[in-house]
Amino acid sequence: GAGVSQSPRYKVAKRGQDVALRCDPISGHVSLFWYQQALGQGPEFLTYFQNEAQLDKSGLPSDRFFAERPEGSVSTLKIQRTQQEDSAVYLCASSFGQDTQYFGPGTRLTVL
Amino acid sequence: DQQVKQNSPSLSVQEGRISILNCDYTNSMFDYFLWYKKYPAEGPTFLISISSIKDKNEDGRFTVFLNKSAKHLSLHIVPSQPGDSAVYFCAARAHVGGAQKLVFGQGTRLTINP
């Protein structure tokens, strides 16, 4: 079966622009996670959904970051008024309940 | 504070020998540990995991050891193969209040030399 997919794979934005990153989890996976990975670092947790409910958003760095999963499947991470420090790889992962998290290929965001 | 640490940013091993990657953690609430492997321009791929109630888990060439008293885990790869060259991340999960987010180390770049 298909794994986690993310789009776009690469995004270049001018500072101040809004961006939207999409994640298609593995079919049937209840849990969905977003992580941010800076260059040379490990992924850092941003937010977690169980179905359509956002149960943990403690890792979102500012109120410019917003995530949604309205129908409990596809999720979108939106970053408003992008800043240079937002440049990173954004990873989406999904899991069935409490099981192992499976990651997508990531979206590399570069803010100029 | 860095709750999960991989103190070796890189490791170089001869093909056929054993690779040992190390990871230390500070949070005693962690109940599950995972190793992920990452190739350039790809997402992390799950490799092997271990529950905090065990001290060893083996899957083919890969074995993970957990020493809870030392808050230390290690990944052994034997024999090492060129295709094992990648960045390896240690991750820990704290199952608190239904949340199951992973906390990752900084990664260790493993290079297998032919």
Side-chain angles (χ1 to χ4, degrees), chain B residues 36-89:
Chain B
Y36 285 86
K37 173 181 178 180
K38 188 180 184 304
Y39 293 119
E42 295 183 12
T45 301
F46 170 71
L47 201 54
I48 192 169
S49 61
I50 187 166
S51 166
S52 59
I53 61 173
K54 296 188 175 182
D55 56 15
K56 178 182 174 181
N57 187 28
E58 191 173 350
D59 184 2
R61 297 185 298 114
F62 303 92
T63 303
V64 55
F65 295 92
L66 175 63
N67 182 334
K68 282 186 66 178
S69 60
K71 292 190 175 68
H72 177 84
L73 66 156
S74 60
L75 174 67
H76 293 211
I77 306 173
V78 56
S80 300
Q81 299 175 353
D84 296 330
S85 295
V87 177
Y88 288 76
F89 290 99

Side-chain angles (χ1 to χ4, degrees), chain A:
Chain A
V4 178
S5 60
Q6 292 185 246
S7 61
R9 291 294 313 277
Y10 302 90
K11 177 69 178 177
V12 178
K14 291 184 180 178
R15 192 174 59 177
Q17 274 186 330
D18 297 349
V19 298
L21 312 180
R22 177 187 167 108
C23 172
D24 282 86
I26 294 172
S27 178
H29 276 194
V30 169
S31 300
L32 185 144
F33 304 81
W34 284 98
Y35 292 85
Q36 179 190 59
Q37 185 176 18
L39 191 63
Q41 300 296 317
E44 291 194 2
F45 172 80
L46 293 177
T47 187
Y48 158 59
F49 290 86
Q50 183 172 307
N51 295 306
E52 69 278 5
Q54 189 175 19
L55 298 186
D56 187 346
K57 52 182 181 179
S58 62
L60 296 177
S62 77
D63 58 8
R64 297 186 295 105
F65 287 70
F66 172 76
E68 60 183 5
R69 193 186 186 199
E71 297 179 359
S73 178
V74 170
S75 177
T76 303
L77 176 67
K78 298 179 179 177
I79 309 173
Q80 297 176 324
R81 304 180 303 281
T82 52
Q83 304 293 316
Q84 284 191 320
E85 62 262 28
D86 300 334
S87 295
V89 175
Y90 290 85
L91 294 163
C92 176
S94 71
S95 69
F96 184 73
Q98 316 263 339
D99 291 342
T100 301
Q101 294 180 27
Y102 295 91
F103 284 81
T107 295
R108 179 177 295 279
L109 173 65
T110 303
V111 182
L112 303 176

Side-chain angles (χ1 to χ4, degrees), chain B:
Chain B
D1 63 335
Q2 192 76 26
Q3 296 186 67
V4 178
K5 290 184 181 180
Q6 294 176 255
N7 291 317
S8 299
S10 63
L11 176 67
S12 186
V13 174
Q14 204 72 22
E15 181 179 359
R17 298 289 183 100
I18 184 171
S19 295
I20 300 176
L21 296 99
N22 294 302
C23 178
D24 297 294
Y25 63 96
T26 57
N27 190 342
S28 54
M29 294 296 291
F30 290 142
D31 66 349
Y32 198 67
F33 302 88
L34 308 90
W35 284 94
Y36 285 86
K37 173 181 178 180
K38 188 180 184 304
Y39 293 119
E42 295 183 12
T45 301
F46 170 71
L47 201 54
I48 192 169
S49 61
I50 187 166
S51 166
S52 59
I53 61 173
K54 296 188 175 182
D55 56 15
K56 178 182 174 181
N57 187 28
E58 191 173 350
D59 184 2
R61 297 185 298 114
F62 303 92
T63 303
V64 55
F65 295 92
L66 175 63
N67 182 334
K68 282 186 66 178
S69 60
K71 292 190 175 68
H72 177 84
L73 66 156
S74 60
L75 174 67
H76 293 211
I77 306 173
V78 56
S80 300
Q81 299 175 353
D84 296 330
S85 295
V87 177
Y88 288 76
F89 290 99
C90 167
R93 185 187 76 188
H95 192 190
V96 177
Q100 41 169 327
K101 63 187 176 186
L102 297 178
V103 179
F104 284 83
Q106 308 95 307
T108 297
R109 180 177 301 278
L110 175 66
T111 303
I112 306 301
N113 302 306

